[in-house]
């Protein structure tokens, strides 16, 4: 294990982490809360000092990332961020230290359990939203830089036409990280515009955009009942379901290349607009040809139709438009594993509630910030099942599984099957451990499912009060589940295997 590389990676995370402290400091100054401004400034300085220390320890590291070092850095990232992130919750006196840690880990992993009291000051809501946004950003960066070294992408390249090359070399990793940061920031700004047009003020728009684009969710939802705000949130959550690498590819190919010609300025402008529009139409067609996009659109459409039809037939809503609005919002919320629910969620039938929770199991596309098992893995598993049935009927037939017109490697299929099996095993192991804290079996399963899928809020099955009622050991175990659910169980297994192999080498 190369400790210098781990120190260097963690220092890079803390560089970006220290920058977000400028937001609560700015807000505190604007509202003339100078005590809070000083407090957040001090924490930001401490984060910067920790970053400098780690950077000095990591000097002279190799330019290639080893497997065990990659897994170790991933496992240490969220605990390191939580060690600084929980301090504001304790400082303001609204949460004890253990609960503050649980809240922080839930926010960083985009679970959005939200055990923060409803009377908490606005600046804590802002900090909560920033943790959600930054945690998902770090996950995206890990997803395209460190995770390919650990888990072999798990089929992420299948989401992109033509594939995508990932490398353990630091230079290539930096390029991929910059792409993710640009796309994620651009979509966040676009989301702020959505909420601003919906009628919210700037800070409410800012908070809602951070919570929805990161799929963090939580209980903060201003202007409840306003149709425009609900649709803005739903569309933002649907954007978060997409593959951010695919977004980047569509955006960078949109502007036409600069061509030096002898034509006049007007003619060049007309040609530029024509080429831009042609590229836009091509990219839209290219987007909707993607297998993940087609499947997630089909699941979303069926989810809205089934939920709307059921609620309207039961007479829960007085009009079809109202039933459609609530179905549209809740399906988008739970398919993206954001977990935001409106007051009307309690009116839904048991079937609708179960169906919407079932959507959280799927999650979004590979390369998205959602939880769940991801749509691409569902596609591969479904095609594998169909291929096995066909092969049973025709034993001599050679079957090939293709996604987006590309053959799925056998190694990728094996990894996806292993991931699915380990996810099921992990779910029941976590539920068994939580049952020792005094929970019933159904409560333990619901809480384990909530943490592993990072959906957080499961009204009627798993509420913030369930987490608050756990003993300290149960809360710490939930933090572990939240991190494993975000990073996936293979990271922990590789880390343990690496430690065992190193120990065996030393003994030999």
């Amino acid at each position: 294990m190369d400790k210098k590389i781990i120190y260097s990676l963690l220092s890079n995370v803390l560089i970006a982490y220290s920058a977000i402290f400028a937001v609560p400091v700015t807000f505190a100054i604007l509202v003339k809360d100078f005590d809070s401004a000083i407090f957040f400034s001090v924490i930001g300085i401490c984060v910067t000092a920790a970053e400098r220390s780690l950077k000095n320890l990591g000097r002279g590291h190799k330019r290639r990332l080893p497997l065990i070092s990659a897994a170790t850095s991933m496992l240490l990232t969220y605990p390191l961020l939580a060690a600084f992130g929980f301090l504001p919750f304790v400082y303001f006196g609204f949460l004890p230290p253990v609960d503050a840690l649980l809240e922080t880990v839930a926010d960083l992993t985009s679970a959005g359990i939200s055990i923060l009291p409803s009377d908490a000051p606005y600046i804590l809501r802002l900090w909560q939203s920033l943790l959600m946004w930054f945690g998902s950003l770090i996950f995206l960066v890990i997803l395209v830089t460190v995770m390919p070294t650990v888990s072999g992408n798990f089929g992420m390249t299948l989401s992109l036409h033509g594939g995508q090359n990932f490398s353990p070399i630091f230079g290539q990793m930096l390029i991929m990280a910059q792409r993710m940061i640009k796309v994620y920031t651009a979509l966040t700004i676009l989301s702020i515009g959505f909420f601003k047009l919906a009628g919210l003020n700037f800070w409410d728009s800012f908070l809602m955009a951070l919570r929805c684009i990161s799929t963090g969710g939580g209980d903060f939802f201003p202007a409840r009942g306003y149709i425009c705000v609900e649709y803005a949130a739903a569309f933002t959550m649907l954007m978060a379901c997409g593959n951010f690498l695919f977004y980047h590819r569509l955006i960078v190919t949109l502007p036409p290349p600069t061509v030096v010609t002898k034509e006049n300025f007007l003619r060049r402008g007309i040609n530029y607009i024509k080429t831009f529009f042609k590229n836009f139409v091509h990219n839209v067609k290219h987007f909707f040809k993607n297998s993940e996009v087609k499947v997630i659109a089909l699941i979303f459409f069926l989810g809205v139709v089934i939920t709307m039809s059921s609620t309207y037939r039961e007479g829960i809503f007085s009009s079809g438009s109202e039933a459609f609005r609530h179905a549209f919002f809740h399906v988008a919320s739970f398919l993206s594993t954001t977990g935001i629910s409106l007051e009307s969620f309690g009116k839904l039938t048991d079937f609708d509630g179960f169906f919407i929770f079932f959507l959280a199991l799927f999650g979004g596309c590979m390369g998205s910030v959602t939880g769940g098992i991801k749509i691409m893995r569902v596609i591969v598993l479904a095609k594998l099942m169909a291929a096995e049935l066909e092969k049973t009927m025709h034993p001599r037939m050679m079957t090939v599984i293709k996604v987006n017109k590309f053959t799925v490697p056998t190694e990728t299929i094996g990894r996806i099957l292993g991931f699915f099996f380990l996810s099921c095993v992990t779910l029941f192991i976590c539920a068994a451990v939580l049952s020792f804290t005094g929970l019933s079996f159904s409560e333990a399963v619901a809480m384990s499912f909530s943490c592993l899928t990072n959906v957080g809020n499961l009204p009627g099955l798993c509420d913030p009060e369930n987490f608050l009622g756990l003993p300290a050991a149960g809360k710490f175990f939930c933090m572990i589940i939240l991190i494993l659910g975000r990073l996936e169980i293979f990271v922990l297994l590789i880390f343990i295997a690496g430690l065992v192999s190193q120990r065996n080498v030393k003994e030999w």
Side-chain angles (χ1 to χ4, degrees), residues 378-392:
V378 176
I379 294 174
V380 173
L381 289 173
K383 290 195 173 186
L384 177 63
M385 181 182 67
E388 289 299 321
L389 289 174
E390 192 173 10
K391 195 171 182 179
T392 301

Side-chain angles (χ1 to χ4, degrees), residues 133 136-137 140 178-196 205-206 208-215 232-233 235-251 287 367-369:
W133 184 85
S136 291
L137 174 61
L140 276 178
Q178 290 174 346
R179 291 177 181 177
M180 288 297 93
I181 293 172
K182 289 177 182 178
V183 174
Y184 190 63
T185 304
L187 292 182
T188 302
I189 295 172
L190 181 64
S191 302
I192 294 173
F194 286 163
F195 287 105
K196 189 66 178 172
S205 300
F206 183 70
M208 284 301 298
L210 298 185
R211 289 168 178 266
C212 292
I213 198 65
S214 66
T215 69
F235 281 116
T236 302
M237 291 184 289
L238 288 176
M239 279 198 308
C241 289
N243 187 330
F244 282 72
L245 274 174
F246 195 46
Y247 288 157
H248 178 268
R249 178 171 294 185
L250 295 179
I251 292 171
F287 179 77
S368 69
V369 295

Side-chain angles (χ1 to χ4, degrees), residues 155-420:
M156 189 192 299
T157 54
L158 301 176
S159 302
L160 306 171
H161 291 281
Q164 176 69 53
N165 293 324
F166 298 97
S167 172
I169 305 301
F170 269 73
Q172 182 65 27
M173 291 169 60
L174 180 61
I175 294 173
M176 299 300 294
Q178 290 174 346
R179 291 177 181 177
M180 288 297 93
I181 293 172
K182 289 177 182 178
V183 174
Y184 190 63
T185 304
L187 292 182
T188 302
I189 295 172
L190 181 64
S191 302
I192 294 173
F194 286 163
F195 287 105
K196 189 66 178 172
L197 291 174
L200 297 181
N201 61 50
F202 172 77
W203 285 108
D204 283 349
S205 300
F206 183 70
L207 265 65
M208 284 301 298
L210 298 185
R211 289 168 178 266
C212 292
I213 198 65
S214 66
T215 69
D219 59 353
F220 179 83
F221 198 94
R224 287 183 182 271
Y226 284 74
I227 298 176
C228 293
V229 176
E230 292 177 6
Y231 277 116
F235 281 116
T236 302
M237 291 184 289
L238 288 176
M239 279 198 308
C241 289
N243 187 330
F244 282 72
L245 274 174
F246 195 46
Y247 288 157
H248 178 268
R249 178 171 294 185
L250 295 179
I251 292 171
V252 296
T253 58
L254 187 59
T258 303
V259 180
V260 179
T261 66
K262 297 182 179 179
E263 297 177 344
N264 57 42
F265 178 78
L266 179 61
R267 176 58 62 182
R268 282 184 303 198
I270 293 174
N271 290 337
Y272 186 90
I273 294 173
K274 287 182 178 179
T275 309
F276 183 90
F277 180 74
K278 181 180 179 181
N279 289 352
F280 177 78
V281 174
H282 175 267
N283 285 357
V284 170
K285 293 180 180 179
H286 189 60
F287 179 77
F288 286 103
K289 284 182 180 179
N290 186 273
S291 297
E292 273 189 307
V293 175
K294 290 189 289 187
V295 172
I296 201 170
L298 177 62
I299 293 174
F300 178 76
F301 174 76
L302 293 176
V304 172
V305 170
I306 292 172
T307 306
M308 181 184 66
S309 303
S310 176
T311 54
Y312 185 70
R313 185 181 65 253
E314 295 291 334
I316 295 175
F317 299 107
S318 58
S319 63
S321 60
E322 188 178 3
F324 171 80
R325 176 167 62 91
H326 289 272
F328 189 93
F329 181 89
H330 285 115
V331 172
S333 177
F334 285 93
L335 182 60
S336 63
T337 66
T338 307
I340 300 177
S341 59
L342 305 177
E343 290 84 353
S344 62
F345 195 88
K347 300 178 182 179
L348 300 181
T349 62
D350 292 337
F351 169 78
D352 297 322
F354 174 79
F355 180 73
I356 290 176
F357 295 150
F358 186 70
L359 294 177
L361 179 64
F362 292 127
C365 300
M366 292 292 295
S368 69
V369 295
T370 63
I373 62 176
K374 303 296 192 302
I375 295 297
M376 179 53 67
R377 292 167 180 158
V378 176
I379 294 174
V380 173
L381 289 173
K383 290 195 173 186
L384 177 63
M385 181 182 67
E388 289 299 321
L389 289 174
E390 192 173 10
K391 195 171 182 179
T392 301
M393 298 176 62
H394 307 281
R396 297 179 180 273
M397 178 180 290
M398 299 295 293
T399 58
V400 177
I401 298 175
K402 291 188 175 183
V403 177
N404 290 327
K405 298 181 180 180
F406 291 94
T407 302
V408 182
T410 305
E411 180 184 0
T412 300
I413 297 175
R415 287 178 178 270
I416 292 175
L417 287 172
F419 168 80
F420 185 74

